[in-house]
Amino acid sequence: MRIISGKHKSKRISAPKKLPVRPTTDMSKEALFNIINNLYYFSQVSVLDLFSGTGNISYEFGSRGTEQITAVDKHYACAKFIEKTADELDLPISVIKSDVFLFLEKTSQSFDIIFADPPYDFSTEQFSKIADLAFDKSLIAPNGILIIEHSKQTSLENHPNFSYDKRYGGSVFSFFENEVAENDDEDITEMKIV
């Protein structure tokens, strides 16, 4: 895997083959970060990287200047590899070894960007539970987003917070946002009638 942009641009990172991971491809990652780059200033956001695996997404945020990054993975070897790599690259990544669902249930912190890359064989219910917990527990800042990576065989567009998705090869990034408050037209109408 390769860091695409920022202070470690073009830096290649080799993860141990024994890690139980499926890193986001460089092509998909570049497309994803082009989208994020149009929405946020990297230096001004806090990021939560769930099912962080090799740390691929966290390194990209760190290289681009993000200073608050939390990476969560339940596998000891993954957590250790991210800690070691973040230390070597001097990136501000806080690594938490935990089951993602337990972490989401217990944390009270909120984030501007939550990225989740669960196993592709998760059920639709498991994918949806990530979004449910993130929004029900107000873990996403008011103008923040949740991005879930999944296969094209899975559709998450029925979730109430689903906004849109982007497809790259066999991978899909689904974007979720806090519901925007709408004008209460009924109240306005009633005021006009009265």
Side-chain angles (χ1 to χ4, degrees), residues 61-187:
F61 274 109
S63 179
R64 293 170 186 242
T66 303
E67 296 180 359
Q68 296 179 58
I69 306 164
T70 303
V72 181
D73 201 286
K74 70 177 181 180
H75 293 280
Y76 176 81
C78 289
K80 279 296 169 193
F81 177 73
I82 298 170
E83 278 185 344
K84 176 176 173 287
T85 306
D87 189 52
E88 289 172 358
L89 299 179
D90 192 27
L91 297 175
I93 301 171
S94 171
V95 183
I96 296 174
K97 182 193 166 297
S98 171
D99 174 84
V100 164
F101 294 107
L102 286 176
F103 174 82
L104 292 174
E105 285 167 2
K106 289 182 178 179
T107 189
S108 57
Q109 198 174 347
S110 69
F111 303 87
D112 298 300
I113 300 170
I114 298 180
F115 178 83
D117 185 10
Y120 274 16
D121 62 0
F122 261 25
S123 66
T124 302
E125 290 72 25
Q126 287 173 301
F127 281 111
S128 294
K129 187 178 178 184
I130 298 167
D132 289 343
L133 285 168
F135 288 101
D136 291 350
K137 293 181 57 53
S138 301
L139 304 183
I140 300 172
N143 294 315
I145 54 171
L146 164 66
I147 306 163
I148 299 179
E149 181 177 346
H150 56 89
S151 76
K152 61 183 180 183
Q153 281 74 38
T154 299
S155 173
L156 303 177
E157 60 188 25
N158 289 327
H159 192 278
N161 295 96
F162 176 84
S163 182
Y164 62 94
D165 62 28
K166 295 288 186 179
R167 296 164 185 266
Y168 304 98
S171 298
V172 180
F173 296 116
S174 284
F175 291 74
F176 302 79
E177 300 175 80
N178 285 297
E179 293 175 274
V180 179
E182 297 178 11
N183 288 332
D184 193 336
D185 293 332
E186 290 181 10
D187 285 353

